[in-house]
Amino acid sequence: MSYQSNINDADKLIAAQNGTWDSISAEAVARMQLQNRFQTGLDIARYTAKIMRQDMAAYDADPANYTQSLGCWHGFIAQQKMIAVKKHFGTTKKRYLYLSGWMIAALRSEFGPLPDQSMHEKTSVPALIEELYTFLRQADSRELNLLFRDLDNARDEGNAAKEAELLGKIENYETHVVPIIADIDAGFGNAEATYLLAKKMIEAGACALQIENQVSDEKQCGHQDGKVTVPHEDFLQKIRACRYAFLELGVPDGIIVARTDSLGAGLTKQIAVSKEPGDLGDQYNSFLDCEEIDPATARNGDVILNRNGKLLRPKRLPSNLFQFRPGTGEDRCVLDCITSLQNGADLIWIETEKPHIEQIAGMVDRIRDVVPNAKLAYNNSPSFNWTLNFRQQVFDAWTAEGRDVSAYDRANLMSASYDETDLGIEADNRIRTFQHDAAKRAGIFHHLITLPTYHTAALSTDNLAKDYFGEMGMLGYVAGVQRKEIRQGIACVKHQNMSGSDIGDDHKEAFAGEAALKAGGKDNTMNQFANAA
């Protein structure tokens, strides 16, 4: 989409109206068109899916090309994140959004705060996707509006060099709209329910859907106990449902992220259907915790499996759930990933109990023996105590190397007294390089943090409340927030501009000319921040 070509097209259209549209400015039309580049969510899904496919290919060529995202629970949070990314790095490349079902449940349900158990309204998922992209599109509109105003000023000043520079920036403008990986939980029902919700999410703009292999009506947060998985054939139905949704809506590049919770899930609600030894159902059932029985000792209501001529009774809990054998989680996880990738998934997600590169890599190596280009999305979860985990990893590594660790108490390594020690510094360095190292060693294409902005909102609010309601009073806000906004160049210090006031003024001028009643005059207090952000 070219600024000048849009002006030319609008000029021709206006000229063809026999003078009745002569009050319409072709350049104003072109500006509005550029500010509304993505007119539907499907436009966004198709655009971002291609970006994600290109990034996946770049990662296959060099694992240094991994991608990242932060989970966002509100459109404004997503907007400010991507504005910050462009400000600090000059580009949005390889930076995505993540939409967390956990945060929707905790923050966006009409029921109020809920645990991550698929109890929130499923319609809130596509609604948040649409909200996120509404705010990102508004970030584009605002930034372009600032360029348009600077362009007008350069023309008024007769500064041809500045005008040419600004036209170049407008023609080569990089959008804030980036791919989103959106959490569809376990599909909120059967495969048909998954398909219907997937369509709504794609129509809202999602190019990547993350779906997990838990039972939808027993779904638990991946970092909690009590997780219950489903047989592979049940999960594959939902993967196919997502693919059909992408294809129906004309998004052939759509991404499916298949998540397995098998590493921490010790239960299944169903015994898989098996037609012959070694088939997928039989492999799933082979992990069940069973005891061999004599037919004469079978009890009323027993479920009996016949395997290799032996009669086996799976252990069934009072909840009517069946139990897997302890220690089978990794093998089940590997089989889940291979099966998903062989049946239409594009990326896999292994939910682990700790951020340990070699643990992840050990499974990925086995998966890649079968699917060589297997790639992961990995949750750099706030549910992990990163400081304690990595200090313990360093402690254990040093112990194995025979180094003296007598100065450290492994059970108390979280203590601030270890912050400046050699062990604390080494652990922090491993945390700093975790994403790079795991991308190279463990096949992680996409690193995400599910709940970061949940925690930053709580932390910043705590700091403000402590100062503002304490002895610092108004200085608590000024020193802790506003002064930092100004000095760090935070765009929303001009909150009227961020909310679209200046865009509205320019529209009013296009609509009403000199009669426009604009908000941005000399008495607007935002003028006090003329040199900020």
Side-chain angles (χ1 to χ4, degrees):
M1 186 182 290
S2 164
Y3 185 49
Q4 191 57 55
S5 65
N6 281 17
I7 293 174
N8 295 339
D9 290 345
D11 258 331
K12 293 175 183 175
L13 182 61
I14 292 166
Q17 307 308 312
N18 300 317
T20 60
W21 287 11
D22 284 358
S23 61
I24 300 293
S25 162
E27 188 157 20
V29 171
R31 291 179 177 186
M32 291 178 186
Q33 289 172 335
L34 287 182
Q35 289 171 307
N36 190 28
R37 172 182 175 182
F38 302 100
Q39 298 182 2
T40 71
L42 284 176
D43 290 340
I44 292 171
R46 293 177 186 124
Y47 168 78
T48 54
K50 285 183 171 58
I51 290 175
M52 200 164 170
R53 290 286 179 182
Q54 291 166 359
D55 287 347
M56 290 164 68
Y59 174 83
D60 287 338
D62 182 354
N65 294 316
Y66 62 89
T67 56
Q68 300 168 290
S69 66
L70 296 174
C72 299
W73 55 272
H74 192 280
F76 179 72
I77 300 296
Q79 178 195 68
Q80 294 305 302
K81 182 186 99 172
M82 297 317 302
I83 287 174
V85 165
K86 282 193 74 173
K87 179 182 77 173
H88 291 296
F89 305 104
T91 180
T92 61
K93 288 180 171 40
K94 297 183 175 61
R95 281 93 177 189
Y96 300 171
L97 297 181
Y98 179 69
L99 182 148
S100 162
W102 194 101
M103 285 209 283
I104 290 182
L107 299 171
R108 301 301 300 265
S109 172
E110 293 185 9
F111 292 103
L114 293 172
D116 183 21
Q117 296 172 2
S118 288
M119 294 190 291
H120 55 280
E121 310 87 343
K122 60 185 179 182
T123 53
S124 61
V125 184
L128 180 54
I129 296 169
E130 182 177 7
E131 176 181 296
L132 295 175
Y133 281 127
T134 296
F135 274 80
L136 293 188
R137 291 167 63 209
Q138 196 263 356
D140 282 358
S141 185
R142 170 193 167 271
E143 193 168 71
L144 282 165
N145 180 255
L146 294 174
L147 290 173
F148 296 149
R149 286 184 165 212
D150 288 344
L151 177 63
D152 290 341
N153 290 335
R155 287 170 174 171
D156 289 344
E157 295 166 0
N159 189 335
K162 186 67 173 177
E163 179 182 356
E165 177 191 342
L166 288 163
L167 283 170
K169 288 182 177 180
I170 293 168
E171 293 287 3
N172 297 290
Y173 181 78
E174 182 178 301
T175 177
H176 293 85
V177 170
V178 295
I180 185 170
I181 298 176
D183 187 357
I184 196 172
D185 277 23
F188 288 87
N190 61 17
E192 175 69 6
T194 302
Y195 155 77
L196 293 171
L197 179 56
K199 282 180 60 177
K200 288 294 184 184
M201 293 169 69
I202 298 163
E203 288 170 341
C207 73
L209 304 179
Q210 168 225 323
I211 187 164
E212 59 207 65
N213 69 336
Q214 290 193 46
V215 177
S216 60
D217 60 347
E218 299 280 359
K219 192 260 188 225
Q220 295 278 17
C221 171
H223 291 284
Q224 292 184 319
D225 206 354
K227 295 182 288 296
V228 182
T229 63
V230 297
H232 295 95
E233 290 294 352
D234 293 47
F235 188 50
L236 297 181
Q237 291 176 24
K238 294 185 177 182
I239 289 178
R240 284 193 289 271
C242 292
R243 181 62 65 204
Y244 274 111
F246 276 123
L247 294 175
E248 176 184 340
L249 295 172
V251 189
D253 292 326
I255 311 294
I256 298 173
V257 184
R259 168 176 149 180
T260 172
D261 282 292
S262 290
L263 199 61
L267 303 168
T268 182
K269 195 169 187 177
Q270 325 165 222
I271 294 175
V273 173
S274 174
K275 296 181 180 179
E276 58 186 44
D279 65 14
L280 202 51
D282 188 47
Q283 292 180 68
Y284 186 80
N285 294 338
S286 71
F287 295 115
L288 291 170
D289 194 356
C290 300
E291 56 183 342
E292 186 176 352
I293 66 166
D294 185 307
T297 64
R299 300 188 297 258
N300 185 56
D302 270 352
V303 173
I304 307 297
L305 294 178
N306 181 353
R307 180 176 298 131
N308 299 323
K310 297 179 180 179
L311 296 181
L312 304 176
R313 177 167 53 210
K315 291 184 180 178
R316 183 162 57 173
L317 305 181
S319 59
N320 202 30
L321 299 172
F322 296 93
Q323 188 171 296
F324 290 113
R325 295 194 316 277
T328 62
E330 183 170 316
D331 290 338
R332 287 184 281 122
C333 192
V334 170
L335 180 60
D336 294 342
C337 293
I338 292 171
T339 303
S340 297
L341 291 170
Q342 289 177 332
N343 288 272
D346 302 288
L347 297 172
I348 50 179
W349 171 318
I350 300 174
E351 195 73 11
T352 64
E353 81 286 358
K354 59 183 179 292
H356 193 291
I357 291 176
E358 285 306 314
Q359 179 198 29
I360 304 163
M363 290 182 279
V364 172
D365 287 345
R366 294 173 62 190
I367 296 163
R368 285 184 161 180
D369 283 343
V370 182
V371 186
N373 68 338
K375 291 179 284 296
L376 273 70
Y378 186 72
N379 178 8
N380 293 218
S381 176
S383 293
F384 303 143
N385 185 331
W386 286 77
T387 301
L388 181 60
N389 266 292
F390 275 82
R391 287 180 180 181
Q392 288 179 341
Q393 288 179 38
V394 173
F395 182 96
D396 293 343
W398 286 3
T399 299
E401 294 167 8
R403 293 181 58 170
D404 181 11
V405 292
S406 60
Y408 304 100
D409 176 6
R410 191 181 188 281
N412 193 38
L413 288 176
M414 187 64 200
S415 171
S417 64
Y418 294 127
D419 287 359
E420 301 305 320
T421 64
D422 289 345
L423 185 145
I425 293 169
E426 171 63 16
D428 281 354
N429 188 54
R430 292 191 185 193
I431 294 171
R432 180 181 63 82
T433 64
F434 173 80
Q435 294 187 339
H436 176 273
D437 296 341
K440 182 178 182 180
R441 171 69 185 94
I444 298 177
F445 158 73
H446 186 74
H447 283 277
L448 61 101
I449 308 178
T450 44
L451 320 176
T453 52
Y454 175 90
H455 292 280
T456 54
L459 179 62
S460 61
T461 302
D462 180 83
N463 289 333
L464 176 60
K466 176 186 66 176
D467 292 340
Y468 176 74
F469 292 107
E471 293 184 2
M472 289 187 70
M474 191 58 199
L475 184 60
Y477 173 76
V478 172
V481 180
Q482 190 180 76
R483 194 176 294 163
K484 290 181 179 180
E485 284 182 302
I486 294 171
R487 291 175 179 173
Q488 291 178 218
I490 305 299
C492 72
V493 71
K494 300 178 183 177
H495 50 257
Q496 306 285 18
N497 170 267
M498 184 59 65
S499 71
S501 179
D502 290 344
I503 296 171
D505 275 359
D506 289 353
H507 287 171
K508 291 174 187 176
E509 188 170 14
F511 303 154
E514 293 182 357
L517 182 62
K518 296 192 285 188
K522 62 181 180 62
D523 293 327
N524 188 321
T525 59
M526 284 289 100
N527 294 333
Q528 297 171 27
F529 301 94
N531 297 319

